[in-house]
């Protein structure tokens, strides 16, 4: 694969890039605030929040350059903004699969977030068993020269999916990105087990809610 030569002009652009992460950090802060409000509203209205925890990060410049090289994009800031969608990233872990789709529906209906792309690896898992729901969203920032929509990637998972993905990541790098066939097969089996656990917990939740309603308890 061709490696792009980083010339002096681009080196200067990388220095200028120091200002660019500030935009992505502000966009991520805005997104974090929106998600925090959603969590609070669900907690107040329903008595619980389906969002277990949230993590966010800004991609390192070195990783951005490597990704652009890997995808064959010319190294400049315009391509970086146009084609690298995960400079700002957020991972949201929910208790149940149903809550993931509930959150996605809510995000799609909002006017202060643009959902640009949805990749559903829950309905259609990757060949290695990976499950998650990925969104590319745009967040508005009101700047001196007008409103600018900044992209971010959101990954939505259940607790079981998140645990599997963390273990897969550890094993992937332990074996230098080349998993033995038997380990890869065991990971697929573990992914199926995680999916079965999610489905079982969802059924238990439904049964508990039905029992609660039948006994006159509050629905949550």
């Amino acid at each position: 694969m061709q490696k792009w030569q980083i010339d002096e002009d681009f080196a200067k652009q990388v220095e200028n890039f120091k200002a660019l992460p500030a935009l992505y950090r502000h966009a991520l802060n805005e997104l974090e605030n929106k998600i925090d409000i959603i969590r609070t509203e669900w907690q107040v209205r329903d008595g619980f929040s389906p969002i277990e925890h949230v993590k966010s990060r800004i991609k390192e410049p070195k990783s951005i350059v490597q990704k652009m090289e890997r995808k064959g994009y010319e190294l400049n800031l315009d391509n970086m903004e146009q084609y690298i969608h995960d400079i700002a990233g957020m991972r949201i872990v929910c208790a149940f699969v149903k809550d993931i789709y509930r959150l996605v529906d809510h995000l799609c209906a909002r006017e202060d977030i643009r959902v640009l792309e949805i990749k559903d690896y829950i309905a259609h898992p990757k060949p290695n068993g990976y499950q998650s729901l990925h969104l590319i969203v745009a967040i508005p920032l009101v700047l001196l020269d007008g409103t600018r929509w900044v992209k971010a990637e959101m990954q939505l998972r259940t607790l079981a999916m998140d645990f599997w993905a963390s273990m897969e990541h550890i094993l992937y790098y332990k074996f230098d990105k080349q998993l033995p066939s038997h380990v890869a097969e065991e990971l697929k089996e573990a992914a199926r087990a995680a999916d079965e656990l999610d489905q079982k917990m969802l059924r238990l939740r439904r049964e508990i809610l039905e029992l609660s309603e039948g006994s006159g308890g509050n629905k949550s």
Side-chain angles (χ1 to χ4, degrees):
M1 180 177 292
Q2 179 182 5
K3 290 290 184 180
W4 294 95
Q5 183 67 34
I6 302 179
D7 58 20
E8 292 184 3
D9 288 340
F10 186 72
K12 292 178 181 178
Q13 290 190 64
V14 171
E15 286 300 314
N16 293 335
F17 177 78
K18 291 179 179 179
L20 194 58
L23 292 179
Y24 286 97
R25 170 49 63 189
H26 288 314
L28 205 49
N29 288 342
E30 289 287 331
L31 186 57
E32 288 170 345
N33 288 336
K34 296 177 194 301
I35 296 300
D36 188 55
I37 291 172
I38 293 171
R39 293 177 75 174
T40 301
E41 285 190 307
W42 271 339
Q43 181 70 44
V44 171
R45 188 183 67 183
D46 300 339
F48 78 102
S49 172
I51 298 175
E52 291 293 321
H53 57 263
V54 178
K55 294 182 180 179
S56 59
R57 63 100 183 97
I58 297 295
K59 202 175 189 70
E60 293 292 332
K62 180 180 177 180
S63 297
I64 296 171
V65 170
Q66 289 174 341
K67 187 167 186 177
M68 292 181 70
E69 289 178 339
R70 191 167 63 249
K71 291 182 173 293
Y73 297 128
E74 183 178 350
L75 294 175
N76 59 63
L77 294 181
D78 287 339
N79 283 345
M80 192 180 298
E81 291 186 75
Q82 183 175 355
Y83 298 115
I84 308 302
H85 303 318
D86 62 344
I87 295 176
M90 174 180 287
R91 181 178 304 154
I92 299 177
V93 177
C94 296
F96 302 99
V97 173
K98 183 177 181 180
D99 296 326
I100 291 176
Y101 290 108
R102 179 186 178 192
L103 178 56
V104 171
D105 288 343
H106 175 74
L107 294 175
C108 288
R110 293 178 69 110
E111 296 182 356
D112 59 345
I113 297 176
R114 292 176 181 171
V115 177
L116 306 177
E117 182 180 334
I118 300 176
K119 291 184 178 180
D120 192 346
Y121 297 117
I122 297 175
H124 306 285
K126 290 186 177 182
N128 67 346
Y130 174 85
Q131 286 187 295
S132 185
L133 197 148
H134 293 193
L135 302 176
I136 302 299
V137 301
I139 309 300
L141 292 181
V142 180
L143 307 175
L144 292 176
D145 57 353
T147 300
R148 182 170 177 177
W149 290 79
V150 181
K151 295 177 184 176
E153 182 189 59
M154 302 178 70
Q155 297 179 355
L156 285 68
R157 304 172 179 171
T158 64
L159 289 162
M161 293 173 194
D162 193 50
F163 175 75
W164 182 93
S166 296
M167 293 301 101
E168 191 268 349
H169 180 79
I170 291 171
L171 292 173
Y172 188 70
Y173 282 94
K174 182 177 180 61
F175 285 100
D176 195 25
K177 303 183 181 182
Q178 295 294 329
L179 292 178
S181 58
H182 71 281
V183 174
E185 191 56 42
E186 288 288 344
L187 273 172
K188 290 181 183 179
E189 180 58 35
R192 287 190 286 268
D195 181 60
E196 291 174 1
L197 177 60
D198 276 332
Q199 298 303 321
K200 183 173 184 177
M201 297 307 294
L202 189 59
R203 289 194 298 271
L204 287 173
R205 178 201 193 201
R206 188 180 302 115
E207 183 177 346
I208 290 172
L209 289 176
E210 290 174 353
L211 289 172
S212 177
E213 292 174 4
S215 62
N218 294 327
K219 182 178 178 180
S220 61

